[in-house]
Structure formats: C-alpha cells, structure tokens
Amino acid sequence: MFARQVYHAPSENLISLRKHMCDKLKEFITIFGGHESYNFSTFPNFTKWLHRPVDASALAIFRMLYGLIMLIDLAEERGGGQMDIRFGEPLKCHFPLFKGLKQFSFPTMGCIYMIMWFGALGIALGYRFRLSCLAYIAPYWYIFLLDKPSWNNHSYLFGLVGAILLFTQANHYWALDKYLNPNLPSTIPYWNYFLIKFQFFILYMYAGTKKFSPEWLAGYAMSSLSHHWVLTPFCWFLSYEMVDLLIVHWFTAAFDFSIAFFMTSELTRIWATPFMVLFHLMNSRLFVIGMFPWVCLAQVPMFYSCDWPRKVTLLNCKNVWYKMLKKEAEGKSRKAKYEKDSTIPSTNAKASSDLCLKLVKYQIENINLIQKCRTLLVLFYCCLQLFLPYSHFITQGYNNWTNGLYGYSWDMMVHSYETLEVQIKIVDNLNQQEHYMDPYAFTEYDRWTKYADMAKQYAQCIRNNLQLLHFEKSNAISITSLNISIYIDVWCSMNGRLMQRVFDPRVDLLTADWFPFKRTAWSLPLLDEFKYIRPKLLTISNEVYNWNNATDVLFIADFPGLTLKNMLPPDIINTTLTILEGNVRYDEVELNESYFLTAGKSLTISGGVAYHVTTVGLSPAIYMLTYTNKTILEETITLEDKSNSPKKPWLPLLQEFKARLENYKRFLQHMGNCVLYLLYGVPIPLQLREKHINLT
C-alpha cells in the first residue's frame, strides 16, 4: 500500500565534485579576496582574523590626510565661510531630522565650529586622539542633522569615517601621542583597517548597484556632461550623445560597481589604481562635490599592505614599483612569497611587513569576551550599512519620487531635477485674502521643494516667522490675523521627464498629516507611465530650437481636476498651447472665454494674458507651450563683442585657490568674532542674505 522510499548515499563522484568546488571557491577567495577562506569559516576564526596584529603606519597616513582634508571642508561644505548667512539670521528656517533639534545662537555656533577645527587639527596631528575625534565628530553630526537639505552622500561618509576613527588606534604611528608615549605599540588589530575599508567598499559597490537601473542606463540623468573639457578626448572618436551614454552612464556604472573588487584583489590592484586616481581627479573637475574626491584618494593606499609607509621610507619608489610589477607578473601568492622570504634575515620593517602580508593561520591562544563582543559590534555595523540604503520601505514618509532622503543611500547623481516654479500661497482665513511670498525668503535651500517632510517643516517655520513679524507689527506682512493656511505648489521635472506638480496645491500644509513611517497622501506620485514619451519630447525640442535662438518649449503633465494658472509676460510672443494627450479646458480670465481642447488641438495665446488650463476627465493630460522671447530675439551680438569676451580657463586652479583662501579667511574671522563677542561683547559684523519677505 505504501511504497518505501530509499535514500541513496551520495556517490563518490558527487562527493569529489563538491570537494573540488569547495577547493576552487577557497582558492578564489584567497587569490581575489586577499585572505584565506578559513578566516571566515567560523566565528572564532573570524574573530582571530579581525584581531590579528598588523602595522599601524598605513592607518596613520589616512588619519593625517583625513584630518587635513576636514580642516578644509569646515570652511566649505560645512558652511564655515558663510556661517553668518547660515546661522546669523534670526528668521532662518532649518530642517532638522529630529523635532527637538534647534540651532544655538550665532556666537555659540561659531564656538562649535572652533571646537570642530581644533578636533580636526588634533586628528591630523594625532594628539589626544580620542578627545580630538570626539571634539570633531559630535559637532559634525549635530550640524549634519540640523539641516536635511544640505545632506549628500559624501558628507554622510565623512561623518561615518570620523565615527570609525574615534574607536580605532590610528595614533600609534606618526602621531604626537606616539611621540609623547613611546610605549604605544606599533601594531594594531586588523579590525581598525577592516571597518574603514568596508565602508569605502560599500560606497563604491552600492553607488554602482544604484546605477544599474533603467533610469541611469537610459542616459537621462546627465545629458550634457560630454561638453566638459575633461571628456574632450572621448569626443574625438564618439559623438556627444554617445559620450553621455557610454562613458558618463554605462562606464561609470560598471566602474563604481567593480572598482572596489579590483582594488581588493591583489592580482588586479596595481592595474586598477591608476583608473581609481584618474576617476576621482576627473570628478573633482566635473562636479562641485567639495573634498569628496580627495578623501577617496586618501583612502586608496589602504587597499595595499598595512606597512607600505615603512617600505617607502626604506626603499626608493623605483624599487617598490619594480617589486610590485614583478610580483603581479609572476602571479605568486602571498603565502608563497612569505615562505620564500622566510629564509632571508629580516629587518624590523620586514618583520612588520610579515605581520600584514603573510597568509598563515593566526594563532591567538585565547579569545576573550571583549574580542567576541567587538566582533559582534563590527558585524552589526556592517549589516546596518548594508541595510540602510534599502530601508526605505520602513521610512515611507521620507519617500517621494525617489526612495528616502538624499544623503545615505549612495544613489549619487542618479537623479537630476529641473525646477520650473515654486509658489507659496498664504490665505488669511479671517477675510479669505490670498497672499504670495518669495519661496526662498527664509531659506537658501532648494531641496525642500522635493520632499514632503521638509515642505511641511518649511510651512510651519513660515507660520512661526509671520507670527513673530505680526507681533512686531512689521510692515513686511499684510495679514490681519494669525489664522492662516499655507499652500505650496512646486513644478518640477526629474531626469528629462515632463514638468509636473510635486505636492497637491489644494492641501493646507499646516494641517496636513505627515508620519515618518507612512506614505504621504498629499505628495503627488511621479507620472512614470509617461516616461516612454521622453524620446518624442527630445525630437520636438530639437525642432523648436532650430526655429531660432529665442524659441523654447515647455512640456507639462497635470493631474485631473488641477488647474495651471499663469500669465505671460509682454516680452513672450508667438505662444502656442498644444495638447499631446488627455483633455483640458482653457480659460482666459479677462475675456471670460473658455475652450475645450483634446489631443492634437492647438491654441495661440497672446502676450500679457492671464490664462488657466484645467485638466478634465479621469486621466492626466500632457500639453506643451512653445514660445519666443522677444527680448532675446531683438538682441544682436557682434563678432567683435564675442572676440572681446574673456575666455573661461580650462583648469582655473589659481582662481579656485584664491577663492578658497578668501573663504577660509572669512571662516577664521567668523570664529574670532564669535569668541570676541562672548568674551568682551565686541559687536559681530554680519553679511545677511538678500531676501524679500513682503507678501503680495
């Protein structure tokens, strides 16, 4: 009735095949990973591997370079040179990650920057290293979390690296702490290197992973980068469009994903290094990304042996390069090299090199509880960094057209935005009067226009500032009560798509709901169903641009029931409204005329006319506006004027150095002025940003 099932033991061939595959996998890990597989086979082996002693010199070099670079970064991307504009205005709006996080007074902020400056200097010198790291990294994260619009991936990276250095022993070589305490050992546990190398490995790998998406590979993120002089050599044999697609998008995606693996492998490291260096040097010219390329360049030597600084001091560069090339050409493993060199009497530097290079089983007699806990913390940190870039399904309130806030997902430059218009409408609920204000009256940031959480924060800040001005009886505002509503309408395009709204303009943001773990209902979705039309839009744009130098075209998509309100300036002529998809109702305000337009229909709009375009039906509508700028059309530029115009230098290093030097002088002056004010009450001269608070 029941059939007996017989289980056969694996055949010898199958067992042999499994063993062969395991041996090949171990060999692959040893050759390309640089470490033998048994180090990762069990938790005790992994703990021993993390705690094996290695030379501290390479980490010390990175520590010094990181500290020096952060000294420069303080005046630039940390905003030290514009400290008065960023923190000196009493009505300035900030966008903290946590609600209770507030800005200190401007003199106190100047002292906080001074603490960071001394902390970065202490890191570079290796003096009171733990205290210096804490003095730098604690204020750094405070300033970082205070303003979400200023977030970017490399600022997040700088903070992580500083936090990692806080727990390392990077002051055991070429440091004042080592000079003052010669008893500090010259070797440190390998986990000091592992954490930093892992962090940069994640940076490169995830940057490439995020670029392997249809959005990036289609070439829409950076469509005109090929015209930069850095990419000129590629334009000698490729068209500008192909350079943008093949070099800027495809090659960059493959490079970001693979370069960390090539740098980790001992066989390919020496050949990948020039590409790594050139890549970051090119980025320093192509983009305004502060000290990011230089921090990455400072970390490149950490992929090599831990004692390379000692080798450089004992051998000339020619011999070092020759030995590296010879070693790679012969394809010898590090274990074979160690066995060969073990018969030769070694110097102190050679013995230190063996600590980092030889592949033998590291004999640590006993693994104590502290080492086990430290290993668990290292694994937890690694898992956290692997998970955070894909954790946006939890923090859905921060999602909009893209997942999560820009700055910790490693999706660097995958999305580019073009903002057409930002409108803030303030309604006095007492008499139903509508007022409009400058959207950048209380902030210089633009990123708040793309994220619902920051838009709500800005609306609340505007209300608080208007209440303050109302109590001060300022002439800048004309509201008669504090019972107001704030509506924000943002028109934006992402990666060459149609211009569309970001938020629902009918929702009062002061009363709108927002939760960090729930999708925001009043944040309008990206009309991704129309992305297929982008090639057609490009073709139409090229046709319009060929009419003359003063013509332009605008492509718009709008949701059902919403109305575009606009008035053409007098210098805009030959304006035509053409419906591409859907149905709209066109209204001219002054003439009180209405027209119903369907797909394929066109209508001419006169200059200086206020009009409304309302999307009707159940589906979104797509339409375009073609127009001519009369002012540009009438302008004549002679050849003589062109010849006399100054040419922009290709490599303006001297100009950049002078600008950075002046910016750093302002940074030092700001810190000095803040200290003088706190000690002696000396007035602080402030340079305030031009803004227009008046309501219209």
Side-chain angles (χ1 to χ4, degrees), residues 158 280-281 283-284 289-298:
F158 297 167
H280 288 299
L281 290 177
N283 283 343
S284 69
I289 49 178
M291 295 292 105
F292 175 58
W294 310 107
V295 171
C296 291
L297 288 174

Side-chain angles (χ1 to χ4, degrees), residues 62 66 70 136-137 140-141 144 152-168 195-196 198-200 202-203 295 381 384-386 388-389 407-410:
F62 175 75
Y66 174 81
M70 291 302 101
Y136 177 75
I137 206 61
Y140 183 97
W141 280 105
F144 181 82
N152 51 51
N153 290 277
H154 53 272
S155 295
Y156 175 62
L157 174 69
F158 297 167
L160 291 178
V161 172
I164 292 173
L165 286 176
L166 173 64
F167 299 97
T168 63
L195 281 175
I196 296 178
F198 175 82
Q199 189 61 68
F200 279 86
I202 289 295
L203 161 71
V295 171
Y381 177 82
L384 181 65
Q385 290 302 314
L386 289 170
L388 276 179
Y408 66 95
S409 300
W410 310 120

